[in-house]
Amino acid sequence: MPELPEVETTLRGISKKILNKEISSFISREKKLRWIIPPTIGKRVKGQRINNAFRRGKYIIFELDNCSLIIHLGMSGKLRVFNKKMKPKKHEHWDLNFTDNWTLRYTDIRKFGVLDLTLKNPLEHKLLKDLGPEPLGNSFNGIYLFEKSRKKSIAVKQFIMNAKIVVGVGNIYANEALFMAGIKPIKKAGKVTKKEYENLSTKIVKVLKDAIHEGGTTLKDYSNAEEAPGYFKKKLQVYGRGNLECFICRKNLKEIRLGNRSTVYCVSCQN
Ligand SMILES: [Zn+2]
């Protein structure tokens, strides 16, 4: 599933090729992804320019002259820029064509992605308005997590994965950040101390920045349809390593299901 680092990497990759370009047409080969693709998009976007492209959580937003497009990659979505002459393949559901040689093409095998259009402030859109702060932004820190978590009995891992608390901390990153911070994923969020949250917040930022850095090197060619996203697998310390040796103490890592998500931790290094 594309997580915040993949979405950020995607955005950085496509931005150079689409910003300030005029849209010549929108073509959809599918009526519905997760939800119906608004049938008016084609008429609305024609002749407009993409003035700004940014990320909010795992959403990508394009600000045009008088509307905005909101995109989510769902479980398997990819956005890539192709030469217009390249014929669409199976699972390539929509194209945003520009007046030059390029098209922005959306591929999604599982069709769980989102494309919507809004005439209002995109940040007020129903999908975006309740999102918590950006983990790489200024309002996210240990004190924020500490204050939000008081009296909460939910596990700290589920707490940091809640997009209303902080966006973009997916399962891999939650596992890794909690290991790096030495905090057991099953510990109640309300029992984690201020000092532990300060440590955890810096580790969340570190793991996301590292992943963006790796994503940036793995996904550098956006016109190559075969390029696979590479999650910096070689660096993962706990995720996907249940029952293998902890890199620090060499005891076997424990794997459990927490909120139906794979959760791996070290019983001796994490308290
Ligand atoms: Zn250990």
Side-chain angles (χ1 to χ4, degrees), residues 179 245-253 265-270:
F179 177 76
E245 271 184 11
C246 170
F247 288 136
I248 295 173
C249 73
R250 314 201 102 193
K251 284 193 180 129
N252 281 2
L253 296 170
Y265 64 101
C266 176
V267 290
S268 67
C269 295
Q270 291 169 264

Side-chain angles (χ1 to χ4, degrees), residues 18-108:
I18 63 165
L19 273 181
N20 304 313
K21 296 269 179 77
E22 186 183 335
I23 296 166
S24 58
S25 66
F26 170 80
I27 291 167
S28 181
R29 290 172 286 274
E30 195 65 54
K31 282 199 175 77
K32 184 175 173 279
L33 296 171
R34 183 171 183 178
W35 296 303
I36 285 173
I37 296 173
T40 53
I41 288 185
K43 269 187 199 161
R44 286 272 178 203
V45 303
K46 192 179 177 194
Q48 295 200 42
R49 279 176 200 278
I50 299 186
N51 300 313
N52 188 20
F54 64 98
R55 181 185 58 74
R56 177 76 179 99
K58 295 204 290 181
Y59 291 90
I60 288 174
I61 295 119
F62 296 155
E63 287 182 323
L64 313 185
D65 298 335
N66 56 28
C67 64
S68 296
L69 294 174
I70 297 172
I71 298 160
H72 193 284
L73 304 177
M75 309 287 283
S76 58
K78 284 178 188 162
L79 267 180
R80 282 168 297 190
V81 177
F82 291 95
N83 189 300
K84 262 188 215 166
K85 286 178 189 154
M86 280 185 72
K87 286 211 172 110
K89 294 180 191 158
K90 200 180 172 189
H91 307 302
E92 295 184 343
H93 304 305
W94 58 256
D95 294 344
L96 201 56
N97 294 312
F98 299 96
T99 50
D100 60 8
N101 292 325
W102 301 102
T103 182
L104 178 71
R105 185 164 285 169
Y106 181 75
T107 313
D108 190 352

Side-chain angles (χ1 to χ4, degrees), residues 25-261:
S25 66
F26 170 80
I27 291 167
S28 181
R29 290 172 286 274
E30 195 65 54
K31 282 199 175 77
K32 184 175 173 279
L33 296 171
R34 183 171 183 178
W35 296 303
I36 285 173
I37 296 173
T40 53
I41 288 185
K43 269 187 199 161
R44 286 272 178 203
V45 303
K46 192 179 177 194
Q48 295 200 42
R49 279 176 200 278
I50 299 186
N51 300 313
N52 188 20
F54 64 98
R55 181 185 58 74
R56 177 76 179 99
K58 295 204 290 181
Y59 291 90
I60 288 174
I61 295 119
F62 296 155
E63 287 182 323
L64 313 185
D65 298 335
N66 56 28
C67 64
S68 296
L69 294 174
I70 297 172
I71 298 160
H72 193 284
L73 304 177
M75 309 287 283
S76 58
K78 284 178 188 162
L79 267 180
R80 282 168 297 190
V81 177
F82 291 95
N83 189 300
K84 262 188 215 166
K85 286 178 189 154
M86 280 185 72
K87 286 211 172 110
K89 294 180 191 158
K90 200 180 172 189
H91 307 302
E92 295 184 343
H93 304 305
W94 58 256
D95 294 344
L96 201 56
N97 294 312
F98 299 96
T99 50
D100 60 8
N101 292 325
W102 301 102
T103 182
L104 178 71
R105 185 164 285 169
Y106 181 75
T107 313
D108 190 352
I109 292 171
R110 297 182 63 179
K111 292 205 274 187
F112 213 65
V114 174
L115 174 62
D116 202 4
L117 178 141
T118 180
L119 303 177
K120 297 178 185 160
N121 177 357
L123 297 175
E124 301 292 314
H125 189 277
K126 63 178 187 288
L127 295 170
L128 304 181
K129 67 180 170 47
D130 295 324
L131 293 177
E134 289 288 329
L136 305 179
N138 293 330
S139 54
F140 176 72
N141 55 44
I143 292 164
Y144 166 80
L145 286 178
F146 177 75
E147 286 171 356
K148 278 278 176 186
S149 61
R150 290 311 84 190
K151 295 183 182 164
K152 291 221 160 75
S153 58
I154 188 170
V156 61
K157 179 168 175 261
Q158 290 169 295
F159 174 72
I160 59 171
M161 287 180 68
N162 180 348
K164 288 183 180 172
I165 300 298
V166 54
V167 295
V169 184
N171 194 38
I172 293 176
Y173 307 108
N175 274 295
E176 294 297 309
L178 285 161
F179 177 76
M180 287 159 74
I183 302 168
K184 265 198 184 76
I186 51 174
K187 188 168 180 172
K188 286 179 179 169
K191 298 283 181 200
V192 177
T193 66
K194 193 184 278 182
K195 205 175 164 196
E196 285 176 316
Y197 272 125
E198 277 171 0
N199 188 15
L200 179 58
S201 67
T202 63
K203 297 302 191 287
I204 289 172
V205 170
K206 182 178 176 0
V207 76
L208 290 172
K209 281 191 173 167
D210 284 354
I212 290 169
H213 180 74
E214 290 290 323
T217 53
T218 320
L219 290 169
K220 60 179 180 262
D221 185 358
Y222 281 84
S223 51
N224 181 354
E226 304 306 318
E227 195 78 62
Y231 271 123
F232 76 127
K233 239 178 191 164
K234 60 185 182 291
K235 284 185 184 164
L236 293 177
Q237 298 188 77
V238 286
Y239 183 83
R241 298 194 66 249
N243 298 316
L244 297 176
E245 271 184 11
C246 170
F247 288 136
I248 295 173
C249 73
R250 314 201 102 193
K251 284 193 180 129
N252 281 2
L253 296 170
K254 187 171 180 178
E255 179 160 16
I256 59 163
R257 303 293 290 182
L258 182 63
N260 207 27
R261 306 298 300 272

